[in-house]
Amino acid sequence: MLISETHFTTKTYFYIPGYKLCHTNHPDGSAHGGTAIIVKDTIKFYELLKYEEQAIQATSIKVQGILHEITVAAVYCPPRHNIKKEQFKTFFHTLGPRFIAGGDYNSKNVLWGSRLTTTKGRELSRVLHENNYSYLSTGTPTYWPTDAQKIPDLLDLFITNGISTSYVDIQASLDLTSDHSPIIATINTTISVRQTPPRLHNSQTNWESYRALVRATINPAVKLKEQEDVQIAIDNFTCILQHAAKVATPCRNPQRPTNTIPSNIKKLVAVKRKARSNWQKTHTPESRHIYNQASNKLKQALHDMKNASFTEYISNLKRDDNSIWKPIRNKRRPETPNPPIRVNTTPPGPWAKSDKDKADLFANYLSEVFTPYDQALDQDIEQELAKPIQPPEHLPAFSLQKLKQEIKMLNPRKAPGMDLITAQMLKELPHEGLVNLLHIFNAILRCSYWPTSLKKAQIIMILKPGKDPTDVSSYRPISLLPTISKVLEKLIYKQLTKDTDQRGWIPHHQFGFRRAHSTIQQCHRLTDTINKAIEDHQYCTAAFLDISQAFDKVWHPGLLFKIKRILPPGYYNLMKSYLHDRTYKIKFNTETSTLYQIHSGVPQGSILGPLLYTLYTSDLPTSQKTVISTFADDTAIVAKDSDPMTASKNLQDHLTSIEKWLQKWRIKVNQNKSTHITFTIRKGQCPPVRINQTTIPQGSTVKYLGLHLDSKLTWREHITKKRKQLDLKTREINWLIGKNSPLSLENKILIYKTVLKPIWTYGIALWGCASKSNISVIQRYQSKLLRTITNAPWYVTNQTLHSDLHIPYVHSVLQEYINKHRSALESHPNPLVEPLIHTTHTRRLKRRWTFDAIN
């Protein structure tokens, strides 16, 4: 379906189940003009570059046929622009050698059946004649002005090239109520159909048959002594599971959509069509009045039907069957664009338009991402890695009980890897299958060999919010690893944490990926240092570093060097095999790229990846004159002193040592995304600091681990940001919790507690020491929302609302969270946390600290 004059903007939400939307907005971004194409999602197509000009707006797609591709374009030419031949020619040349472009050209010419010929129509006819283009027109009016004094005329038509008119049929449609009646073009050709994503099982799978097939084909007596034996065994095991699932899963017949339109609606549609046809024939005021009446009755009936259906749907949402969470997860958001992409270099790279081209471009781009910054050899590290391990040690074998426990904990909703083996298939394994899998896992430990089939990742690309959809770097890779590999990694991770004392090699300042360590506790360390500096009338200068592609650029020889020095000897060869020869391929829609090698980084989405990154950065330099806080790759360094020059010098010295460490281990800092900030209530700022010979940008606020810190640590900036976030989220789900929603009051309160309340309670143990005026911002929001949820009249007090709904005031929630935070700190294993509780710092100011908010 080609649509002209859509009036879409970037915030427009439009969705039809089973269809894809491609659209082009007006160049000025306002709600006028624009075009769109609605395509059935089973049709194989890809979007072309948008044509966004003041005089012509067009949306183009390339439909893939069996013999050739056809460009289909929706066109709109605003009437106020006098388009010349060159402008039409430039546009049509963007469509390629074979196209059909239809829409409102606002160009009249007797050649295609218009009542008269205008200048724009004459220019368009010249383009058709010079380029041997063809036109498709019904020869009947398509524009029906509401003014009875104006005469209907033909403005909508198709322009074609490379398509024989012998295979095309054109007809008018008088079913819609727009002032432009649609025209329908039928092309006799064969198009390609998208293949549904492969799945090994569905809701109709016979798991008893699956288990019987696995039991019958498993060979329990297989001997696994060499690495080749392990590789063959895991490949055979995977094939057995795939075959058993396919055989046990019947083919699902596609369900045909049922017509659920009530008979009274159908009758009103027929009456409206007849009235419209009569008005178009006579064009009298009486026929127009009858047509308007029929149209209004139909609109009202459709409105009532939709309201009744919506009310029934909302009223049936329940907590017991988890149906209440489905409409919250399925957010109403604008359609995700799928335009051509390229590498925005100087000069820019070529456009990738088809799904195959996009998959290859993404794969090639990631091949550079998964390559270390510096590939030169380091002789010292190479010599150390070449030394044999003495004495060789074998890791303890896994037990069947541990394997069952890990498989039981798998999330069945997780997407499978390239082998399509899901968590459900492992959960349904018979005893013989579990024993065989355990035998393979123990052989992997014994041979210190990670099979190559477990090192293949399938990556899908997700557009980052607010980024340019045409830039290849605007997409985030999501890696899907084999489920079997994840189970093995979990077993090794637990054995590794049991065999080693992580406190001996994980630095105390690293709070990421550690049990009993949270972001709030790390932020508390930071804010406690800032509070003490402000209390002592000092300058507190801090640098918040942004590590570029931290997990993707881990240098493998350097990581193996540290594994060999830190971990028990038995893990070195296994981790070496785990990191070596890893591959990936990109999947874009139904197309995939070829396999590419991964030369750097820890596996994304893996269990061992975060642990290996922590080990790789465990020797990050520290300083006695500064405080360092790290949570994964989020790094903050703080220095304080009564003299701003001294504070910056201490910070600069620490940054210099970190800079040398980064160069040695081939890690880069993005200076432009890093922030330097001075926390103080005194006048003036600390001098700027540098890293990699570049000055770090200074700011008055900074975001660290989800908390917004301002230069005076008043928490006003954080509360303001959270208030805006609450407003956006409330508008998003207002159709569920608003005063006009038929959802039950109990479920509305449940949504508030589980969706909205966590937004403002995050970090409340820290920002709860803000002034009462700042905290009252959140309290006013809660009171206002409760009044909206219940649709309470003005005379019902806020106290009554909170009491009847059993919703505590913000102050009470604050007390609860601070007490929980303090209890967690009292039994914390990290020695850096103890000073946060037993502080003896003298107070000069009336400012409140974290635990001062407790009455």
Side-chain angles (χ1 to χ4, degrees):
M1 180 182 291
L2 313 182
I3 307 175
S4 297
E5 205 169 358
T6 58
H7 292 189
F8 280 1
T9 67
T10 55
K11 298 181 180 179
T12 300
Y13 171 81
F14 186 88
Y15 173 70
I16 299 178
Y19 290 82
K20 298 290 185 181
L21 173 70
C22 305
H23 63 92
T24 301
N25 300 335
H26 195 276
D28 63 11
S30 58
H32 67 100
T35 58
I37 300 180
I38 302 174
V39 197
K40 197 169 185 179
D41 55 11
T42 55
I43 295 176
K44 203 169 186 179
F45 76 97
Y46 55 87
E47 188 176 354
L48 301 178
L49 288 173
K50 302 178 186 294
Y51 199 88
E52 297 175 307
E53 299 292 340
Q54 293 286 343
I56 302 176
Q57 292 115 52
T59 303
S60 305
I61 64 172
K62 186 83 74 172
V63 178
Q64 300 183 11
I66 300 298
L67 300 177
H68 47 68
E69 296 180 332
I70 301 177
T71 300
V72 180
V75 185
Y76 176 64
C77 302
R80 65 193 180 107
H81 294 281
N82 190 15
I83 307 175
K84 300 300 181 182
K85 180 184 67 173
E86 289 74 16
Q87 293 173 281
F88 278 123
K89 189 176 180 180
T90 301
F91 162 65
F92 286 126
H93 282 178
T94 64
L95 302 181
R98 185 177 288 105
F99 66 81
I100 177 168
D104 181 5
Y105 285 90
N106 275 303
S107 305
K108 300 179 183 180
N109 196 306
V110 294
L111 179 65
W112 46 77
S114 299
R115 184 175 52 87
L116 50 85
T117 299
T118 61
T119 303
K120 193 186 297 185
R122 190 176 296 110
E123 295 289 320
L124 180 58
S125 66
R126 290 177 180 173
V127 176
L128 269 59
H129 177 72
E130 293 179 3
N131 295 274
N132 293 323
Y133 295 157
S134 303
Y135 66 87
L136 299 175
S137 170
T138 59
T140 59
T142 61
Y143 171 60
W144 306 89
T146 55
D147 189 353
Q149 302 298 323
K150 294 182 179 180
I151 303 175
D153 211 338
L154 190 149
L155 298 178
D156 305 87
L157 68 152
F158 289 97
I159 306 296
T160 68
N161 183 44
I163 302 174
S164 175
T165 55
S166 303
Y167 297 96
V168 180
D169 178 48
I170 185 81
Q171 60 181 336
S173 174
L174 304 177
D175 293 340
L176 302 184
T177 58
S178 172
D179 57 351
H180 285 256
S181 57
I183 54 176
I184 302 173
T186 304
I187 304 175
N188 294 315
T189 185
T190 304
I191 60 174
S192 300
V193 179
R194 292 186 186 274
Q195 300 296 326
T196 56
R199 294 184 60 185
L200 295 179
H201 62 86
N202 54 40
S203 58
Q204 300 177 0
T205 301
N206 187 336
W207 292 111
E208 287 293 337
S209 175
Y210 167 79
R211 286 189 286 270
L213 286 169
V214 172
R215 193 180 296 112
T217 52
I218 282 289
N219 182 11
V222 61
K223 295 183 179 180
L224 306 176
K225 294 184 178 179
E226 304 293 335
Q227 294 181 356
E228 293 78 6
D229 300 335
V230 176
Q231 184 65 60
I232 294 173
I234 193 66
D235 291 343
N236 289 339
F237 181 80
T238 301
C239 291
I240 290 172
L241 266 60
Q242 292 172 341
H243 174 72
K246 289 180 181 178
V247 173
T249 303
C251 296
R252 302 181 68 174
N253 296 324
Q255 297 181 354
R256 295 183 178 180
T258 57
N259 192 342
T260 58
I261 301 177
S263 59
N264 65 314
I265 300 293
K266 294 180 181 180
K267 292 178 181 178
L268 291 174
V269 171
V271 171
K272 187 213 71 169
R273 289 177 177 175
K274 185 176 180 180
R276 177 184 174 91
S277 177
N278 185 46
W279 172 72
Q280 290 177 340
K281 291 177 182 178
T282 62
H283 220 60
T284 62
E286 292 78 9
S287 61
R288 175 69 182 183
H289 178 69
I290 295 174
Y291 167 61
N292 287 341
Q293 282 188 327
S295 179
N296 292 334
K297 285 183 179 179
L298 177 60
K299 288 180 180 179
Q300 185 62 43
L302 290 172
H303 179 74
D304 295 341
M305 182 186 71
K306 290 178 181 178
N307 281 346
S309 176
F310 175 77
T311 302
E312 181 182 6
Y313 169 71
I314 296 297
S315 302
N316 291 331
L317 294 178
K318 298 178 182 178
R319 181 181 182 180
D320 300 335
D321 58 359
N322 292 325
S323 61
I324 190 175
W325 308 119
K326 187 174 181 180
I328 297 175
R329 288 195 299 265
N330 299 335
K331 302 176 183 177
R332 297 171 62 91
R333 58 178 56 158
E335 184 77 9
T336 302
N338 188 18
I341 59 173
R342 65 179 177 182
V343 180
N344 283 343
T345 55
T346 305
W351 289 104
K353 299 176 182 178
S354 67
D355 292 348
K356 178 62 176 176
D357 292 341
K358 291 179 182 179
D360 291 337
L361 180 61
F362 278 128
N364 187 59
Y365 168 73
L366 289 183
S367 67
E368 299 179 3
V369 174
F370 297 140
T371 302
Y373 288 116
D374 184 4
Q375 301 189 53
L377 298 177
D378 188 304
Q379 294 183 356
D380 294 337
I381 291 180
E382 294 295 332
Q383 291 176 0
E384 179 66 25
L385 295 180
K387 295 179 181 179
I389 299 176
Q390 296 293 339
E393 294 184 8
H394 293 293
L395 300 177
F398 303 127
S399 65
L400 185 61
Q401 181 182 359
K402 290 182 179 179
L403 176 61
K404 290 181 178 179
Q405 183 179 0
E406 293 302 330
I407 293 178
K408 184 179 180 181
M409 295 173 62
L410 289 175
N411 185 358
R413 295 180 179 273
K414 291 290 185 179
M418 203 180 302
D419 57 5
L420 301 180
I421 303 296
T422 64
Q424 186 65 32
M425 293 171 62
L426 296 183
K427 288 175 179 287
E428 298 291 344
L429 278 176
H431 177 76
E432 292 80 0
L434 292 172
V435 171
N436 186 259
L437 183 59
L438 178 66
H439 186 34
I440 294 173
F441 281 177
N442 286 330
I444 290 174
L445 295 183
R446 188 168 58 253
C447 299
S448 296
Y449 172 72
W450 205 280
T452 56
S453 57
L454 299 185
K455 295 188 287 187
K456 295 180 180 179
Q458 181 172 274
I459 297 178
I460 58 176
M461 307 299 289
I462 304 297
L463 179 64
K464 300 176 183 177
K467 297 294 184 178
D468 179 12
T470 64
D471 187 0
V472 68
S473 62
S474 299
Y475 293 78
R476 177 182 293 109
I478 303 298
S479 181
L480 303 178
L481 299 175
T483 308
I484 296 176
S485 178
K486 291 182 180 180
V487 175
L488 177 58
E489 287 187 50
K490 286 184 179 180
L491 291 169
I492 293 176
Y493 178 83
K494 291 190 174 180
Q495 185 65 41
L496 178 60
T497 54
K498 180 180 177 181
D499 290 345
T500 62
D501 183 10
Q502 295 187 20
R503 292 175 294 181
W505 56 269
I506 296 183
H508 295 312
H509 60 76
Q510 176 60 267
F511 277 47
F513 313 120
R514 299 180 67 182
R515 184 175 298 177
H517 290 67
S518 69
T519 56
I520 303 303
Q521 294 167 353
Q522 183 67 291
C523 288
H524 192 176
R525 288 187 58 233
L526 191 65
T527 57
D528 186 71
T529 303
I530 298 171
N531 277 323
K532 289 179 180 178
I534 293 177
E535 188 69 39
D536 294 337
H537 208 56
Q538 292 180 328
Y539 290 90
C540 182
T541 181
F544 294 83
L545 304 181
D546 181 88
I547 308 297
S548 299
Q549 300 172 333
F551 292 84
D552 298 332
K553 291 293 188 180
V554 171
W555 181 39
H556 284 175
L559 176 58
L560 291 173
F561 174 81
K562 295 183 179 182
I563 290 175
K564 192 172 185 179
R565 285 197 166 188
I566 295 175
L567 297 185
Y571 288 97
Y572 172 74
N573 288 328
L574 181 62
M575 289 297 99
K576 182 179 180 180
S577 176
Y578 173 78
L579 294 171
H580 178 67
D581 200 25
R582 297 193 74 92
T583 57
Y584 71 93
K585 70 176 181 179
I586 298 293
K587 182 178 181 182
F588 194 89
N589 290 333
T590 57
E591 300 291 343
T592 56
S593 68
T594 56
L595 281 174
Y596 280 71
Q597 290 283 334
I598 297 177
H599 300 288
S600 69
V602 293
Q604 187 198 64
S606 64
I607 310 300
L608 294 174
L611 180 68
L612 294 178
Y613 178 81
T614 303
L615 184 146
Y616 187 66
T617 58
S618 60
D619 56 344
L620 184 70
T622 58
S623 173
Q624 295 183 350
K625 297 180 180 180
T626 61
V627 174
I628 184 170
S629 303
T630 55
F631 196 97
D633 61 328
D634 291 312
T635 305
I637 304 127
V638 181
K640 60 179 182 176
D641 198 272
S642 56
D643 179 24
M645 299 290 292
T646 304
S648 284
K649 181 182 181 304
N650 294 336
L651 179 60
Q652 183 62 68
D653 292 342
H654 194 177
L655 289 175
T656 301
S657 63
I658 289 179
E659 181 181 336
K660 295 178 181 179
W661 180 88
L662 293 173
Q663 292 175 353
K664 179 179 180 181
W665 299 108
R666 306 182 186 185
I667 301 175
K668 283 190 177 181
V669 170
N670 190 335
Q671 298 92 337
N672 295 328
K673 292 185 178 180
S674 301
T675 304
H676 175 222
I677 184 173
T678 301
F679 298 98
T680 185
I681 58 174
R682 298 176 63 179
K683 293 182 179 181
Q685 298 286 324
C686 290
V689 293
R690 301 164 64 89
I691 190 168
N692 297 331
Q693 307 303 318
T694 304
T695 302
I696 300 177
Q698 289 185 311
S700 58
T701 62
V702 66
K703 184 179 180 181
Y704 183 66
L705 301 180
L707 294 178
H708 300 268
L709 310 176
D710 57 90
S711 59
K712 292 181 173 27
L713 203 62
T714 62
W715 297 105
R716 182 176 180 179
E717 178 72 12
H718 177 78
I719 294 174
T720 302
K721 294 284 187 182
K722 288 299 174 182
R723 184 67 176 86
K724 292 180 179 179
Q725 185 180 353
L726 287 167
D727 284 341
L728 292 174
K729 192 66 178 180
T730 304
R731 290 194 208 104
E732 187 178 291
I733 61 175
N734 185 64
W735 63 285
L736 277 173
I737 65 174
K739 60 182 180 181
N740 296 324
S741 170
L743 191 67
S744 65
L745 180 60
E746 179 185 0
N747 284 333
K748 288 182 180 180
I749 296 299
L750 177 64
I751 292 176
Y752 169 67
K753 290 180 178 179
T754 54
V755 177
L756 295 173
K757 187 177 178 180
I759 295 177
W760 62 265
T761 55
Y762 176 77
I764 192 174
L766 301 182
W767 64 260
C769 61
S771 65
K772 293 182 180 180
S773 60
N774 284 331
I775 295 179
S776 64
V777 172
I778 303 298
Q779 181 57 63
R780 287 195 298 270
Y781 164 80
Q782 178 172 277
S783 300
K784 180 181 177 181
L785 186 71
L786 295 182
R787 190 170 296 276
T788 302
I789 286 176
T790 58
N791 197 17
W794 63 269
Y795 52 80
V796 176
T797 64
N798 290 333
Q799 184 177 359
T800 302
L801 289 172
H802 284 75
S803 176
D804 292 351
L805 298 176
H806 304 289
I807 301 294
Y809 282 93
V810 173
H811 180 71
S812 300
V813 176
L814 169 63
Q815 303 290 321
E816 177 188 354
Y817 274 77
I818 291 180
N819 287 327
K820 288 182 180 179
H821 177 61
R822 182 160 193 159
S823 299
L825 295 182
E826 288 176 348
S827 57
H828 205 280
N830 197 318
L832 297 181
V833 172
E834 185 178 358
L836 303 179
I837 308 173
H838 308 291
T839 180
T840 58
H841 202 277
T842 56
R843 302 293 184 87
R844 177 179 60 88
L845 303 174
K846 294 183 179 180
R847 296 168 59 94
R848 296 196 304 172
W849 292 19
T850 299
F851 297 125
D852 294 343
I854 302 178
N855 291 333

